[in-house]
Amino acid sequence: MTLKEAIYLVRPYSLPASISPVLVAIATFLLEGSFLTTRSMWAGVLCFFVALIGQCFCNVVNDIADFKSGADQVERKGFERIVASGIVSLKIARRAAILLAIFTALTGALVVFLSGNLWLLLLGLFVLLGAYAYSAGPFPLAYNSLGEVAVFIFYGLVATMGTYYVATSMITRNIFLLGAAMGLASVNILLINNYRDAESDRKVGKKTIAVRFGEDLLPQLYTTNILLILLCIIPYYNWLTLLLIIPFFIFEMRLSKDMKREKGNALNRVLAKTAKGVLILAISLILILLAHHLIFFK
């Protein structure tokens, strides 16, 4: 497997979903100065790499599972899947998944060592199992209408609150709300994916929300998530906050209209931009946190 194939296999366009919530959490405890020690601070920062490698593992497992289930058929719309297309063999993809799982575990172990919280090993195991169970195992979450729930939990609450806890040993209301905002933004990536693939998913028995309740529901959920994100940042509202969140809101509402208008492969562009939107939200929230800190904690 070449470097180009390896990069394609881990789907780099989707990686903002994992690194963005961690960046928000890191910015939060650094601006607050709420990290316990220098070691715990670095443990929190290291969560960036755990999240990044962990999502790469999840993406490879998803590629393998969708190929084996037949979800990546020839008539499937969307980005080309490297295993289904035969560019990378199933054997090599499995080896890549094992290596990524090992790297995720080792990086997570270093986080636990630096933080000094041994029970975080359980959280790490939960994350690895969640990454695997998303599309594989006896009850794959993505195949049973629970993909959006899993994304909200792992790419929102766990990534944000977990990183913050590693550094501070506490959970606050605000970090929960920030995690919820990031989770909702990542859910929108999956909504577009499942909206685009509803027809092919239906043929292979993949029971996504789009298959179970109809595709027309998903654009409505996409717009609802944008509005819920605005509610999540109410604790930070002031005139400057509104100015800083406007670019994200305009960007996402345009994508919401595009989602309703586009069909098939044309939705790939909307999906990729929605993934970028997660990073835009993270940057917006970090700027809001910085402004809030400068205004109220001079």
Side-chain angles (χ1 to χ4, degrees):
M1 182 169 57
T2 65
L3 178 60
K4 182 179 180 180
E5 291 168 350
I7 293 173
Y8 196 81
L9 183 62
V10 300
R11 305 179 205 170
Y13 67 86
S14 70
L15 297 181
S18 60
I19 64 174
S20 296
V22 175
L23 289 175
V24 171
I26 291 172
T28 303
F29 69 68
L30 288 179
L31 287 169
E32 292 176 349
S34 52
F35 52 89
L36 295 177
T37 64
T38 302
R39 283 168 62 95
S40 65
M41 178 196 73
W42 284 114
V45 172
L46 196 59
C47 287
F48 175 91
F49 297 100
V50 176
L52 179 63
I53 304 170
Q55 188 183 358
C56 290
F57 165 69
C58 183
N59 288 347
V60 175
V61 171
N62 182 245
D63 224 322
I64 294 170
D66 282 354
F67 168 69
K68 292 177 67 178
S69 69
D72 286 347
Q73 307 172 73
V74 175
E75 64 267 26
R76 175 188 174 271
K77 303 177 180 68
F79 297 103
E80 183 182 25
R81 293 296 178 83
I82 197 167
V83 177
S85 64
I87 297 173
V88 170
S89 70
L90 182 60
K91 183 178 181 180
I92 292 177
R94 282 173 171 165
R95 288 177 179 175
I98 292 171
L99 284 175
L100 287 167
I102 292 172
F103 287 143
T104 304
L106 290 175
T107 311
L110 182 55
V111 168
V112 173
F113 172 75
L114 290 174
S115 68
N117 291 324
L118 291 179
W119 79 267
L120 288 174
L121 288 170
L122 294 177
L123 178 61
L125 180 60
F126 176 64
V127 170
L128 269 178
L129 288 176
Y132 177 78
Y134 176 78
S135 54
F139 189 80
L141 302 175
Y143 285 66
N144 292 281
S145 304
L146 292 173
E148 286 80 3
V149 175
V151 166
F152 177 76
I153 291 173
F154 286 100
Y155 292 99
L157 301 183
V158 172
T160 311
M161 295 167 59
T163 300
Y164 186 83
Y165 184 85
V166 164
T168 66
S169 291
M170 64 180 179
I171 298 295
T172 65
R173 178 200 62 180
N174 285 1
I175 201 65
F176 169 81
L177 291 172
L178 291 173
M182 296 307 302
L184 290 166
S186 290
V187 165
N188 277 354
I189 301 174
L190 187 59
L191 288 176
I192 294 179
N193 183 81
N194 290 343
Y195 179 69
R196 181 199 62 204
D197 293 342
E199 184 178 346
S200 59
D201 286 343
R202 191 175 289 111
K203 290 179 180 178
V204 299
K206 189 175 180 180
K207 297 180 178 65
T208 63
I209 288 179
V211 171
R212 196 179 291 273
F213 300 106
E215 299 96 307
D216 293 341
L217 174 64
L218 271 62
Q220 299 175 40
L221 291 177
Y222 188 102
T223 303
T224 299
N225 284 345
I226 298 171
L227 299 177
L228 288 174
I229 288 169
L230 298 182
L231 290 177
C232 286
I233 61 173
I234 282 180
Y236 298 99
Y237 270 8
N238 55 56
W239 64 269
L240 185 54
T241 300
L242 296 176
L243 289 177
L244 292 172
I245 203 64
I246 283 175
F248 167 77
F249 179 74
I250 294 175
F251 182 80
E252 287 291 312
M253 290 305 294
R254 285 178 177 173
L255 291 179
S256 177
K257 292 180 180 179
D258 289 344
M259 182 181 180
K260 298 172 185 177
R261 184 169 54 242
E262 303 289 359
K263 296 292 182 182
N265 285 325
L267 285 166
N268 290 340
R269 177 186 61 84
V270 184
L271 189 152
K273 285 192 173 182
T274 299
K276 292 178 182 176
V278 179
L279 186 56
I280 292 174
L281 175 61
I283 294 171
S284 298
L285 291 179
I286 290 170
L287 291 175
I288 288 169
L289 289 167
L290 179 61
H292 183 78
H293 182 79
L294 292 176
I295 292 171
F296 296 102
F297 303 99
K298 293 181 179 179

